[in-house]
Amino acid sequence: MSASTSARASRRVPDIRSMRTSDLRTADGVRATGGARAAGGARMTGGARTTSGARANRNAAAESRLGNYSVQGGRTVSEINRMARNQERRQRRAESMQRAARATRRPLIIIGVIVALIIAFMLAVFIASRTDLFLVEEVKFEGVEHLTSTEANALVNVPEGTTLLNVDIDSIKASLMRDSWVESVEVKREFPSTLTIVVNERDIAAIVEIPMGQAQTIQNWAISPEGIWIMAIPNQDSEIGQQISPKIYEDADSAIHITGVQVGVIPEMGKECTDPNVNNALEIITGLTTDLANQVKSVSASDVESTTLTLKSNVEIAFGTADNIRDKERVCLEIMEKNPKVVYINVRVADRPTWRSPDGN
């Protein structure tokens, strides 16, 4: 190859995409113009001009011929352009993969940091629980009214040397829940040295008069609104009565009494009542609103159908079963309002009530 040919070959050939159509030449070196010549070089007759489709064909042919010219390294223009496009695609793909990898690593790093912090915290708690740090120096009770402080402390055993970090909370809860007055327990750690025990006690819904023994003596039992036997109420002047909380007697004195209980009902502290007559009476008591409930002195529970309320005014109300409680209550209040001297009302069937006054009406 001559020097001039080599120089021409080494000259950079511009990208064919940036060349104007008017700059393209045919293989014979003739510029492609609007007055294109035929294959033999003769000018087309009639002065006809090529269409845009013909121009596109010539451009493609010119690019194809130009692409065959060799440049540096012996590669053609087409090969260089194709290599450039491939390189650009590979670069975009690599950048996309890098972004995806970074996005994947980020949550893994966050999770790793969180796990490390949790492990560090648990390790610190474990180490601290084996030391004298945060020793329990005081145990406080909240919500305790029917239990005395002595009774509550006797139920809770916190061994000497116990810390707020290793105290057995489940054991404290289980121990307190054995008492029939206790409905639920919450234990709080108050750093640096106090353990607070919050007790939710049961309320007295009624006092059930239970006949005991052959002599049929009456023993008063407190029962909760949920039908849990709480305890037998001892005589307040007795030795046991002097030791228990005065709040028990305060609540018992204001509670409605359930009377007429059949022989054979045996209450058990902390257990549910299974007697249907007592449960029917209890459901009526807890279902009444304060308008009538505050007037009730006792409820006779000898039989479900014959359940009778006795008011503080000595009015008797044959209530029957614990259904339609609010309707029965409304009828009773209306009758007593219209008939102030009424002494007996029967609302076993709420929509057909009957009543009686001293004069027989």
Side-chain angles (χ1 to χ4, degrees):
M1 180 182 296
S2 64
S4 60
T5 304
S6 177
R8 285 197 302 273
S10 63
R11 236 182 250 117
R12 181 175 182 82
V13 180
D15 193 332
I16 188 67
R17 291 171 294 181
S18 64
M19 297 176 64
R20 295 173 301 179
T21 304
S22 59
D23 294 333
L24 298 175
R25 295 182 181 274
T26 65
D28 297 328
V30 179
R31 184 184 298 273
T33 64
R37 296 183 183 278
R43 190 175 187 83
M44 297 177 63
T45 59
R49 297 183 178 272
T50 59
T51 64
S52 59
R55 265 197 312 273
N57 290 337
R58 285 200 305 277
N59 291 346
E63 182 178 357
S64 176
R65 286 191 291 270
L66 187 57
N68 292 327
Y69 294 152
S70 296
V71 294
Q72 292 179 355
R75 297 186 179 90
T76 64
V77 172
S78 298
E79 290 174 342
I80 293 174
N81 291 339
R82 185 168 55 254
M83 291 172 62
R85 287 193 295 270
N86 290 339
Q87 178 64 24
E88 184 179 355
R89 282 194 294 270
R90 284 194 295 269
Q91 184 175 354
R92 286 199 300 267
R93 190 181 300 115
E95 292 174 353
S96 177
M97 293 176 66
Q98 290 175 357
R99 286 194 298 270
R102 285 195 296 269
T104 303
R105 287 195 300 269
R106 189 175 297 112
L108 292 177
I109 293 172
I110 294 174
I111 293 173
V113 171
I114 294 174
V115 170
L117 290 174
I118 292 174
I119 292 174
F121 175 76
M122 294 177 64
L123 183 60
V125 171
F126 176 79
I127 294 173
S129 66
R130 297 299 186 271
T131 66
D132 293 337
L133 191 64
F134 305 127
L135 278 173
V136 176
E137 298 176 358
E138 181 183 8
V139 177
K140 295 193 306 184
F141 287 91
E142 294 181 1
V144 175
E145 293 183 327
H146 299 96
L147 289 175
T148 64
S149 299
T150 302
E151 292 170 333
N153 280 293
L155 290 169
V156 176
N157 179 29
V158 180
E160 186 177 353
T162 300
T163 70
L164 292 178
L165 300 177
N166 64 15
V167 62
D168 191 345
I169 290 178
D170 291 336
S171 176
I172 293 174
K173 289 182 177 181
S175 180
L176 282 167
M177 290 296 291
R178 288 198 297 267
D179 193 282
S180 57
W181 280 108
V182 180
E183 185 173 15
S184 63
V185 179
E186 181 184 2
V187 181
K188 300 179 180 179
R189 298 179 177 92
E190 296 184 4
F191 292 91
S193 60
T194 302
L195 193 67
T196 301
I197 302 173
V198 182
V199 178
N200 181 29
E201 293 183 330
R202 290 188 171 95
D203 296 322
I204 298 178
I207 296 297
V208 185
E209 298 182 2
I210 303 295
M212 303 295 293
Q214 294 181 351
Q216 298 296 294
T217 57
I218 298 299
Q219 186 179 57
N220 292 330
W221 272 81
I223 192 169
S224 76
E226 301 78 26
I228 302 296
W229 294 111
I230 300 176
M231 67 174 293
I233 308 296
N235 189 304
Q236 192 169 5
D237 296 328
S238 66
E239 184 179 352
I240 297 177
Q242 294 295 316
Q243 295 175 1
I244 64 177
S245 171
K247 178 65 174 174
I248 295 176
Y249 292 100
E250 180 182 335
D251 290 351
D253 288 344
S254 61
I256 297 173
H257 279 233
I258 297 178
T259 63
V261 179
Q262 294 181 358
V263 177
V265 176
I266 303 176
E268 186 177 352
M269 290 177 60
K271 303 297 183 181
E272 289 186 12
C273 174
T274 58
D275 182 74
N277 301 330
V278 173
N279 286 335
N280 184 73
L282 182 64
E283 189 174 350
I284 293 172
I285 292 171
T286 57
L288 294 173
T289 65
T290 54
D291 291 339
L292 185 59
N294 287 342
Q295 301 182 51
V296 178
K297 178 173 61 177
S298 63
V299 180
S300 175
S302 57
D303 179 73
V304 170
E305 294 293 336
S306 60
T307 300
T308 302
L309 313 184
T310 300
L311 306 187
K312 296 172 182 177
S313 60
N314 293 323
V315 174
E316 291 186 355
I317 300 174
F319 209 88
T321 60
D323 55 357
N324 303 318
I325 293 176
R326 294 300 174 84
D327 290 337
K328 293 179 179 180
E329 179 184 21
R330 176 181 51 79
V331 172
C332 290
L333 292 172
E334 289 176 355
I335 291 174
M336 288 189 293
E337 183 179 3
K338 295 177 181 178
N339 303 273
K341 296 183 178 181
V342 68
V343 294
Y344 176 82
I345 302 173
N346 187 334
V347 288
R348 291 189 180 98
V349 181
D351 56 355
R352 294 198 301 273
T354 60
W355 63 93
R356 185 175 66 248
S357 297
D359 54 7
N361 295 327

